[in-house]
Amino acid sequence: RIGKERIDVIVDTGGLGGIAISPTDLKRLDVEFTGDSITRTDSAGKTFESRAFVVPELFLGENLFRAVGGFERINSDAGFAGGEPMNVIGRGLLHEFTVVVDYANGEIRLYSADQGESVCGSRTSDLIKSEDGHFVLSIQTDGGEMLALMDTGATYSFVQSNVIASRNL
């Protein structure tokens, strides 16, 4: 929630930003536009500019965040099929937590970063920071070992064409 207003968001573990809000929701929320614009590139490689803002108070569950930077999420041809852009919370905000994505129960839970092992058990794989700042992990497939980005905001799962060609997949 922002102030007293609740909004629906996609929790995007692959998203670099803190928060992105649709123009429709921005009209009803208490945000302070900074006068700056942010240049972003969507998952299809399309570059666009949008207005930057600061959210004075953002509540995510019981967690209060102050002065959260964000940008207006304008429509994109990539990802969701048409319609109003979705609101997104990304790694810029989530990096402070152990994030548990419970697909079976349709829940996402946040725990303090130091609770990772007590909540999730021992680590099964190390996250590796890629050159572009994304976190990936090594997975074993029938096509051999690969690096994978676990992205809760992705619309599809995919493998790069050069990997498909080089492994005859």
Side-chain angles (χ1 to χ4, degrees):
R1 130 179 102 75
I2 294 176
K4 295 181 192 243
E5 297 287 332
R6 294 182 57 85
I7 63 170
D8 291 328
V9 297
I10 293 171
V11 176
D12 185 1
T13 56
L16 294 173
I19 186 166
I21 301 176
S22 73
T24 300
D25 282 337
L26 278 174
K27 290 177 187 173
R28 65 184 182 91
L29 298 173
D30 178 27
V31 302
E32 299 165 2
F33 288 99
T34 65
D36 294 330
S37 64
I38 295 177
T39 302
R40 305 293 291 186
T41 303
D42 66 19
S43 59
K46 180 180 173 186
T47 300
F48 57 93
E49 282 193 29
S50 60
R51 298 182 294 170
F53 59 79
V54 173
V55 175
E57 289 188 341
L58 177 126
F59 292 88
L60 188 56
E62 299 299 316
N63 302 290
L64 168 63
F65 299 87
R66 295 188 187 279
V68 176
F71 66 93
E72 184 174 24
R73 184 175 170 111
I74 60 174
N75 207 359
S76 166
D77 296 333
F80 301 98
E84 178 70 22
M86 298 294 293
N87 304 315
V88 176
I89 289 179
R91 287 194 335 256
L93 199 61
L94 299 173
H95 75 276
E96 300 178 30
F97 298 96
T98 293
V99 179
V100 175
V101 180
D102 181 353
Y103 285 103
N105 293 304
E107 296 177 352
I108 295 176
R109 291 185 220 89
L110 302 179
Y111 299 91
S112 64
D114 62 351
Q115 289 183 287
E117 191 168 336
S118 65
V119 170
C120 301
S122 61
R123 189 181 314 196
T124 58
S125 180
D126 288 326
L127 289 175
I128 304 160
K129 195 167 191 174
S130 68
E131 290 179 16
D132 63 359
H134 287 90
F135 287 101
V136 297
L137 57 107
S138 178
I139 62 171
Q140 187 64 41
T141 72
D142 57 353
E145 185 177 8
M146 296 183 195
L147 293 179
L149 169 67
M150 299 303 199
D151 184 355
T152 57
T155 307
Y156 301 98
S157 297
F158 58 91
V159 178
Q160 292 175 319
S161 57
N162 63 337
V163 173
I164 292 170
S166 69
R167 297 183 186 203
N168 297 317
L169 300 178

